[in-house]
């Protein structure tokens, strides 16, 4: 029995020298000190030995067991610190390595154009207002001098939620919401999403508008012309001609449509190779926005005195401006979020 114990001990110690990592050490522990380990088996075997011999063997076994346990403890400490050192070395920063550039995100082209337009008006002293995307018939139509069943409602292909609840078809209801709460002088812009039952290469069900209006004593059409000409020159360049064409909106009188000289053919209607310009359909002009002097009927609903105050209003589609500015012919590109497209702006 004593030889057997000694043999196990010798084997254990000689094998220990070959151990290189914690995994191997654990296997070693199991082999000798585990529940079914060689030494444990010897302990179990004690009961087959004559009672008078047991204390002697028991003592021997204990000495060996303690020895092995101490050895394993020491070995574990050595291995663990070696392990730690290795980890520290491998994770150390190599300052001679080239850096990994951080890829920067960009604003969506629609957001960029929207910000550009808003910034121009902030510089002119306008303030920003907003209203809900889900509107009532009253704010979207009625208060804007568009009665129920009036033919002019056909100007907007409206998406209704309920009989008197709809997705706003334009940002003009914000005019009403602001004027209900505030008295002139007012100089406001209202950027936001609008919705129409419309979808093709130049129309999207959801798109963006920037509304603007100014109300005070003695506001005239000349103020409107000056402001919008400044806006279009800032967006498309000072050299571009701008023209105001008579038009109709129920909430403005008189009303106008504003055109800018075609960005594609320079207003000639034809390209330098003689081909006809498809961007302006040979007219030389691009329609950019609608505007006019706020109709006295709108003021009456708001208890503004039309003899005391006058004002102008305008509304423009941001997708249209972005398409002309960047030379994009399909509006859907803005909403597909293909990174190859978006990265170009
Ligand atoms: N709300 C009009 C539209 O969406 C544009 C507009 C705004 C016209 C303000 C005149 C005054 O078509």
């Amino acid at each position: 029995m004593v030889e057997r114990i000694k043999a196990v001990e010798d084997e254990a110690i000689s094998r220990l020298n070959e151990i290189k990592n914690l995994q191997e050490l654990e296997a070693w522990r199991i082999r000798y000190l585990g529940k079914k380990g060689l030494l444990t088996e010897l302990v179990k075997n004690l009961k087959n030995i004559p009672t008078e011999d047991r204390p002697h063997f028991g003592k021997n076994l204990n000495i060996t067991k303690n020895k092995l346990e101490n050895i394993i403890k020491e070995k574990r400490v050595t291995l663990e610190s070696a392990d730690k050192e290795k980890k520290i070395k491998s994770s150390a920063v190599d300052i001679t390595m080239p850096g990994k550039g951080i890829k920067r995100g960009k604003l969506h082209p629609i957001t960029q154009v929207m910000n550009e337009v808003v910034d121009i008006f902030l510089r002119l002293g306008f303030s920003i207002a907003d209203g809900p995307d889900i509107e009532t018939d009253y704010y979207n139509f009625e208060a804007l001098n568009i009665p129920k069943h009036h033919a002019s409602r056909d100007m907007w292909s409206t998406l209704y939620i309920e009989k008197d609840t709809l997705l706003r078809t334009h940002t003009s209801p914000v005019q009403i919401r602001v004027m209900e709460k505030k008295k002139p002088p007012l100089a406001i812009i209202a950027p936001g999403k609008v919705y129409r039952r419309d979808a093709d290469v130049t129309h999207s069900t959801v798109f963006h508008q920037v509304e603007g209006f100014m109300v005070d004593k003695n506001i005239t059409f000349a103020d409107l012309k000056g402001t919008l000409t400044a806006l279009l020159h800032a967006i498309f360049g000072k050299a571009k001609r701008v023209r105001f064409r008579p038009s109709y909106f129920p909430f403005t009188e008189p009303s106008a449509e504003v055109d800018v000289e075609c960005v594609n053919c320079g207003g000639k209607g034809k390209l330098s190779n003689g081909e006809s310009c498809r961007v302006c359909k040979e007219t030389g002009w691009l329609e950019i926005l609608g505007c006019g002097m706020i109709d006295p009927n709108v003021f009456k609903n708001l208890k503004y005195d039309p003899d005391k105050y006058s004002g102008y209003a305008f509304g423009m589609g941001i997708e249209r401006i972005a398409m002309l500015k960047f030379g994009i012919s399909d509006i859907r590109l803005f909403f597909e979020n293909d990174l190859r497209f978006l990265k170009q702006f």
Side-chain angles (χ1 to χ4, degrees):
M1 183 77 177
V2 175
E3 289 90 74
R4 184 86 188 93
I5 298 171
K6 181 85 176 91
V8 170
E9 184 183 316
D10 286 350
E11 188 200 293
I13 290 175
S14 87
R15 284 207 185 184
L16 190 79
N17 293 328
E18 286 152 33
I19 286 175
K20 283 184 276 334
N21 57 44
L22 287 165
Q23 260 162 310
E24 283 172 20
L25 187 66
E26 178 61 6
W28 184 91
R29 187 192 65 77
I30 291 167
R31 179 173 166 82
Y32 300 102
L33 300 168
K35 264 188 205 145
K36 289 182 182 154
L38 292 174
L39 214 59
T40 321
E41 291 298 330
L42 288 177
V43 174
K44 283 183 199 157
N45 207 34
L46 274 181
K47 62 178 181 292
N48 304 325
I49 286 171
T51 332
E52 62 272 26
D53 292 337
R54 274 184 210 166
H56 174 60
F57 292 122
K59 199 176 161 203
N60 255 294
L61 269 171
N62 259 338
I63 290 171
T64 300
K65 202 171 161 226
N66 286 338
K67 205 169 174 182
L68 293 187
E69 273 169 356
N70 280 334
I71 287 176
I72 197 175
K73 223 182 262 170
E74 262 172 46
K75 186 81 179 178
R76 180 168 285 140
V77 171
T78 329
L79 286 176
E80 273 172 353
S81 73
D83 217 40
K84 212 185 229 169
E85 210 160 291
K86 214 163 114 194
K87 265 188 198 145
I88 290 173
K89 266 198 189 135
S90 70
S91 67
V93 177
D94 179 353
I95 55 166
T96 64
M97 291 270 280
K100 288 184 199 151
I102 297 168
K103 287 209 180 96
R104 290 247 269 153
K106 287 180 184 179
L107 292 177
H108 191 281
I110 293 301
T111 310
Q112 288 182 31
V113 174
M114 193 105 145
N115 288 350
E116 186 184 345
V117 171
V118 168
D119 281 348
I120 292 167
F121 284 108
L122 292 181
R123 266 181 269 141
L124 291 172
F126 284 69
S127 324
I128 300 176
D130 64 6
D133 289 16
I134 298 173
E135 262 300 3
T136 59
D137 187 278
Y138 176 77
Y139 287 107
N140 197 78
F141 291 128
E142 212 134 337
L144 288 162
N145 197 32
I146 314 168
K148 285 221 157 76
H149 311 298
H150 193 276
S152 70
R153 286 206 179 194
D154 289 352
M155 291 172 77
W156 299 273
S157 328
T158 310
L159 289 156
Y160 284 90
I161 294 172
E162 279 162 12
K163 190 167 153 284
D164 285 319
T165 315
L166 46 82
L167 291 172
R168 66 176 180 189
T169 58
H170 50 181
T171 39
S172 299
V174 183
Q175 289 183 38
I176 307 300
R177 289 185 174 273
V178 171
M179 287 192 275
E180 267 180 354
K181 291 212 179 72
K182 293 186 176 152
K183 293 272 154 277
L186 293 174
I188 304 284
I189 40 162
K193 286 191 178 73
V194 299
Y195 307 79
R196 289 184 198 176
R197 212 179 59 246
D198 240 350
D200 58 36
V201 289
T202 56
H203 296 87
S204 165
T205 312
V206 186
F207 62 104
H208 299 80
Q209 282 190 336
V210 173
E211 186 86 7
F213 61 99
M214 181 176 275
V215 183
D216 200 356
K217 288 169 188 155
N218 304 316
I219 300 289
T220 69
F221 202 93
D223 297 311
L224 174 62
K225 272 190 94 170
T227 305
L228 292 182
T229 304
L231 169 78
L232 294 178
H233 280 165
I235 298 176
F236 292 105
K238 262 203 152 66
K240 292 268 178 301
R241 286 175 298 155
V242 171
R243 78 175 180 188
F244 286 68
R245 220 166 6 88
S247 185
Y248 170 75
F249 295 101
F251 33 89
T252 47
E253 182 60 35
S255 302
E257 210 104 39
V258 185
D259 300 343
V260 73
E261 188 183 297
C262 180
V263 293
N264 194 44
C265 64
K268 292 191 216 41
K270 284 205 186 313
L271 303 178
S272 49
N273 62 10
E275 262 177 54
S276 60
C277 180
R278 282 188 299 166
V279 176
C280 63
K281 301 200 181 76
E282 289 187 56
T283 63
W285 292 98
L286 300 167
E287 192 183 307
I288 302 291
L289 54 86
C291 63
M293 301 306 292
I294 298 174
D295 194 298
N297 282 333
V298 174
F299 283 153
K300 273 181 208 148
N301 287 331
L302 295 157
K303 312 254 172 328
Y304 277 23
D305 180 356
D307 292 326
K308 193 168 160 197
Y309 294 114
S310 57
Y312 63 73
F314 55 84
M316 69 197 89
I318 296 303
E319 277 75 2
R320 170 141 178 94
I321 294 175
M323 286 170 83
L324 294 170
K325 211 176 139 80
F326 299 131
I328 295 161
S329 52
D330 189 336
I331 197 170
R332 290 170 293 201
L333 287 165
F334 289 128
F335 302 98
E336 280 164 0
N337 286 332
D338 184 330
L339 284 179
R340 290 169 301 179
F341 171 75
L342 294 176
K343 273 183 182 159
Q344 297 175 57
F345 304 95

